[in-house]
Amino acid sequence: MAGGGLEAVFMQNRATLLRFLRARGAGDAAEDVLQELWLKASVGAAGPIADPLAYLYRVANNLMLDRRRGALRRERRDQDWTEATGGPEIGVSDSPSGERVLIAREQLMAVEAALKALGERTDHVFRRYRVEGASQREIADELGISLSAVQKHLQKAYRALVKLRRRFDAD
């Protein structure tokens, strides 16, 4: 079966593959894993596939096994790091001190004030890009401005934040 046939089987069984991934532990990441499944399956299919649905399920299962192994490696690495660095001390809180919390709040208020001082559009562009994760192209389209204008707004915000950071470091 050619790549087009594999794509047709994938599209026909998309909902069941998604349920399979969720049942295997993908949870909220199931859509992302499904996209990864299609990328791996379509690239990995070098020739005709006798049973394309079974092939897709096998690739999905392998992806979930890879994710599980990766999670176990991360947990092991974190545990090894904690043990190597002595781990958290008994009776000592990992939480920042009250003074650190107050300093952080003051700095956050200063950052917010600096962004507001740059103007509503620059503040909006910066927050959409850095906080909400929108692409520069999306922001340009939303605001009806050029990509270059978005980049200039971001540069303006970055310059202000660098200046503010230098002030924090000097204090």
Side-chain angles (χ1 to χ4, degrees), residues 7-148:
E7 183 176 4
V9 171
F10 176 81
M11 294 309 292
Q12 288 171 345
N13 294 283
R14 186 180 189 289
T16 55
L17 287 164
L18 194 58
R19 280 194 303 274
F20 174 78
L21 291 169
R22 284 190 178 122
R24 299 282 293 161
D28 292 338
E31 286 284 346
D32 294 335
V33 177
L34 189 64
Q35 288 298 323
E36 189 177 350
L37 162 65
W38 172 246
L39 290 173
K40 287 198 183 275
S42 62
V43 170
I49 299 170
D51 189 352
L53 186 56
Y55 173 74
L56 290 171
Y57 275 104
R58 187 171 64 247
V59 173
N61 189 55
N62 288 344
L63 276 173
M64 292 308 299
L65 288 172
D66 289 346
R67 289 174 63 87
R68 198 166 293 120
R69 286 182 194 124
L72 289 173
R73 277 193 303 271
R74 277 189 303 278
E75 287 175 21
R76 210 172 302 122
R77 183 183 60 237
D78 290 347
Q79 183 179 1
D80 290 347
W81 173 256
T82 300
E83 290 172 4
T85 59
E89 288 185 46
I90 306 297
V92 177
S93 173
D94 287 340
S95 300
S97 68
E99 180 183 11
R100 296 272 314 140
V101 170
L102 287 175
I103 291 170
R105 285 184 184 153
E106 287 176 4
Q107 289 178 341
L108 177 61
M109 289 182 352
V111 167
E112 289 179 345
L115 289 172
K116 291 277 186 222
L118 297 175
E120 187 177 325
R121 182 164 279 185
T122 299
D123 182 38
H124 176 77
V125 167
F126 179 81
R127 289 177 192 275
R128 285 283 293 137
Y129 183 69
R130 297 299 297 185
V131 178
E132 298 172 17
S135 72
Q136 292 180 14
R137 172 58 51 205
E138 288 173 325
I139 297 167
D141 291 345
E142 288 170 8
L143 297 176
I145 60 177
S146 69
L147 187 58
S148 175

